[in-house]
Structures are given as structure tokens and as C-alpha cells.
Amino acid sequence: MKRLTLLVALYCGAASAASLIDPEDGMLDMSRHLQDNPYGFLPIPVVITEPAIGYGGGLFGLFLHGKGKQVNGQFIPPAMTALGGGGTENGTWFIGGGHRRTWQDDRIRYLIAGGYADINLDIYSGDVAGFSGNKAINTETQGFGGTQKLLFRVGDSPVFIGASQFWAKMDISAKNNPVIDRVWQQVLGDNSTTSALGIVAEYDSTDNFFWPGQGMALSGEYQFYGHFLGGDYRYDLLTLDGKFFLPLNPIWTLSLAGNYQMLSQQDQHLPPMARPYIKLRGISSYRYQGDDVSTVQAQLGWQVTPRWTVQGFVGAGSAADSAGDLYNSAEVAWGTGFRYLIAREYGLHTGVDVAFSDHEQAVYFNVGSGL
């Protein structure tokens, strides 16, 4: 929190100190600064301890274009934009941004994001030569891409339907292993383009986009990757995601989350990063991949004061070649963290999580619950 306060103070040197203090409780709060300053943003430090890419850091800025409003018990956030970048000790670096906005009292939702990245990553599984048991292949992926999603509310219900698009152009190589690199060049080519269209359905009854205290958020997306869309690979990807927020009493909240991904109709060979992977705090990205991947999580939050919340979490994930083999074995991760209410009028919380698994540990700076 001291680091975040310092960054805020440095950025807001031209603003009056009073604009960063909430008159209701005398605490640090950026609501007025974000609303009154057309160029005001919330600086989000990125401290990277992701085991897959090493230690590093960066900075993102979150711009909120307006105040948001309450409609039928739900807080509708204003349009928002995020921009930034970062890098790590192993040479990985990235820049990117995104924009989200709604229209007609949240009847239409739109999201667009894109960026460029140079990622040095250990890959442990795949269908191209070089993978064996727990032996990792050090890969380098350079490329750029983007995604967008458009959703329409069904009547006055919490149900949304719509479509999505994804496109990326990448150059993949096996670093420090010229033999495998030559095989990859023969099979995957010098560079590759991935392109997809998807159909999306969502159910959202949560009370706040930034910090849900109650309600449920469910989503299902089926993406068609294909040559007819300008891509080099053919496969389908189904993603099901669910989050449930249950207030146990005024200061305790239980949050549950689950995710399932299934890869199907695939070409004989796919780039290593195409396959789903277990995504949990405390486990390296792409460490455990499969055609079918599932994760479940539980998180308990304790609101110590109106500004401070402490939380503990535990999750389990499984990656397999078929749905029937899921959870024959599982990877478990757990941890704890805190959140500070940095912008009260938006319900915007930021903080840190420390997560552990059997062989790894990591620290994450998060905006929101972290699920």
C-alpha cells in the first residue's frame, strides 16, 4: 500500500492533496481525482513474480470516463480504458491496452483489447517434437494481436448474448535448442496467424463490476478457429466460467469460482500456447496443459474495516486429454491477500495476493477480487 500511495502522490503532483482524501473518513481515496480530472487515472503497479517468466514489473493506468450509476440494484461502471506495459528478468516484455463501455443502461456491452508481447516461456506439453514428461522446452513467442466482444441484454433479464473475435500473429521458436527449433519451423512455419469467431452467452446478477458482494456471473463461449477466417490452424475452444458471491453476514463474504475449457476438432499440430492450461494464483501459466482443463476455487473475505479487507483462498485444477480423466490427479494452490478500497464511489479495490503451490510461490497485484 505504501508503494501504491507513493505512485499516486508522484502522479498527482499537480492535483491538490485534498482531492486524494475522502471527506467522509479522511482516508486515501481517488474517486474525486478520477471524476474531476479528464486525464486522471489510477496507477496500477505490476509486480511480476509469475514463475513461468520470472521476476519483473511494470505499470498500467486505469482511466474511468465518468461516474457510473445505479440501475435496479446494480452499479453500472463508466466507460474505462487501461494502458500500460512491463517486463521481466528473462527478457519477456509487453505493452497493451483495452477499452470497455456500455450503452442504454447496460443493455449493450462492448470490450476491445490488444497489444504486443515478446514472451520467453517454458512449455511442458504439446504435440510437436521436444516434449517429454516434465522436461520443459524454453520457447520465445513474439507477436501482436487483439480481441473484441459485443453483448446484448435479453429483455430486462440478466442474460446477455453476443459474439467475439480474436486475432493474433506470432513467431514461435525453441530457444537454446536448434534441433527442436528446426522441427517447429518445418511443422509450424516461420510465423503463424490465429483467427477466431465466437458465440457468447452470459448471465450476470452481481451488484458491482469492480467488487461483487453478492450475485452470480456465468459465461459460456464457443470459439471457431479456422482457415476461412485467415488463420493457419483449425480447432474449436469451449470455455465455461462461473462465479458466485455469497454474503454470509455484513463483514464475511464467500466467493466460489469454476472454469472448464475443452479443445476439439483440432489440426494434427497446433502451436504450444494454443492448448488450455490450469490458471490459478500460485501455479505457473502453461505449466499444466491438456485438451480438457478444469479449475475450482473458494475465497473467503473478511472486511476488517470499511476500507480494508483480508481474504484467504484455495483452488484446485486438473489438465487431461479427455473430460473423463479430469481430477484423476490435481494441482492445488492456496494463499492470502488484502484489498484496500481505493475509490469508494466506484467500489474499486486494489491490493496484493501471496499464493503457493507444491513447488512454487508468487505475489500478485490485483484490482478486484482476484478470482
Side-chain angles (χ1 to χ4, degrees):
M1 196 60 214
K2 291 180 180 178
R3 181 177 299 182
L4 178 59
T5 303
L6 177 60
L7 287 169
V8 171
L10 290 174
Y11 162 70
C12 301
S16 66
S19 68
L20 300 179
I21 300 299
D22 190 335
E24 288 195 10
D25 58 10
M27 298 290 287
L28 171 67
D29 188 279
M30 295 195 67
S31 298
R32 289 175 56 194
H33 178 72
L34 294 171
Q35 292 172 357
D36 299 339
N37 187 343
Y39 303 104
F41 64 86
L42 173 66
I44 304 172
V46 180
V47 177
I48 303 171
T49 59
E50 166 60 57
I53 57 176
Y55 294 97
L59 183 68
F60 273 77
L62 177 63
F63 298 81
L64 299 177
H65 312 294
K67 297 183 178 181
K69 58 182 176 180
Q70 291 282 344
V71 176
N72 298 325
Q74 286 185 307
F75 175 74
I76 300 176
M80 65 190 78
T81 302
L83 297 169
T88 72
E89 60 182 344
N90 79 346
T92 292
W93 66 274
F94 55 90
I95 56 172
H99 180 75
R100 181 189 187 273
R101 69 180 305 122
T102 66
W103 292 275
Q104 300 179 12
D105 289 340
D106 201 29
R107 301 190 68 84
I108 302 174
R109 297 179 176 181
Y110 179 67
L111 171 69
I112 186 169
Y116 177 89
D118 185 340
I119 303 173
N120 298 310
L121 182 69
D122 287 343
I123 297 290
Y124 289 80
S125 64
D127 52 20
V128 183
F131 298 98
S132 176
N134 290 321
K135 183 179 180 181
I137 299 298
N138 186 224
T139 69
E140 180 177 14
T141 300
Q142 298 174 313
F144 56 93
T147 184
Q148 58 181 338
K149 181 166 63 174
L150 180 63
L151 297 174
F152 299 89
R153 187 184 292 270
V154 179
D156 294 324
S157 73
V159 176
F160 294 82
I161 58 173
S164 65
Q165 181 186 14
F166 175 83
W167 183 91
K169 188 175 183 65
M170 299 174 292
D171 181 1
I172 305 171
S173 60
K175 297 182 64 178
N176 306 321
N177 198 321
V179 175
I180 293 176
D181 190 50
R182 283 195 295 270
V183 173
W184 280 9
Q185 298 303 314
Q186 291 290 327
V187 176
L188 302 176
D190 293 332
N191 55 62
S192 62
T193 299
T194 304
S195 183
L197 289 176
I199 53 175
V200 185
E202 294 187 2
Y203 176 96
D204 183 8
S205 64
T206 56
D207 57 347
N208 188 291
F209 173 80
F210 294 115
W211 186 257
Q214 62 181 3
M216 183 165 51
L218 307 173
S219 67
E221 181 177 19
Y222 198 95
Q223 294 174 291
F224 303 87
Y225 291 79
H227 308 286
F228 70 98
L229 300 171
D232 296 327
Y233 307 104
R234 170 73 186 100
Y235 61 97
D236 295 344
L237 180 63
L238 170 67
T239 302
L240 302 176
D241 192 79
K243 297 181 178 68
F244 181 58
F245 303 92
L246 176 65
L248 303 178
N249 58 41
I251 62 172
W252 291 92
T253 300
L254 176 65
S255 304
L256 304 173
N259 179 274
Y260 171 71
Q261 296 181 75
M262 179 184 69
L263 187 73
S264 62
Q265 307 296 325
Q266 68 261 38
D267 285 342
Q268 182 178 2
H269 300 299
L270 295 178
M273 295 175 69
R275 278 186 158 69
Y277 65 93
I278 294 176
K279 187 175 183 180
L280 290 173
R281 287 166 288 182
I283 294 179
S284 295
S285 298
Y286 297 97
R287 176 64 177 85
Y288 304 99
Q289 292 179 275
D291 290 346
D292 289 79
V293 174
S294 171
T295 61
V296 291
Q297 298 182 72
Q299 181 168 281
L300 185 63
W302 172 34
Q303 186 175 339
V304 183
T305 73
R307 289 279 179 179
W308 293 94
T309 299
V310 176
Q311 56 190 30
F313 54 88
V314 63
S318 179
D321 293 331
S322 65
D325 293 329
L326 285 173
Y327 293 104
N328 287 340
S329 64
E331 304 299 324
V332 178
W334 63 94
T336 186
F338 71 87
R339 295 294 183 272
Y340 178 79
L341 179 59
I342 190 65
R344 179 178 53 81
E345 294 192 22
Y346 297 97
L348 185 60
H349 292 67
T350 185
V352 178
D353 290 327
V354 181
F356 306 87
S357 59
D358 285 342
H359 307 291
E360 299 167 326
Q361 64 183 43
V363 178
Y364 303 87
F365 273 74
N366 282 314
V367 174
S369 69
L371 288 177

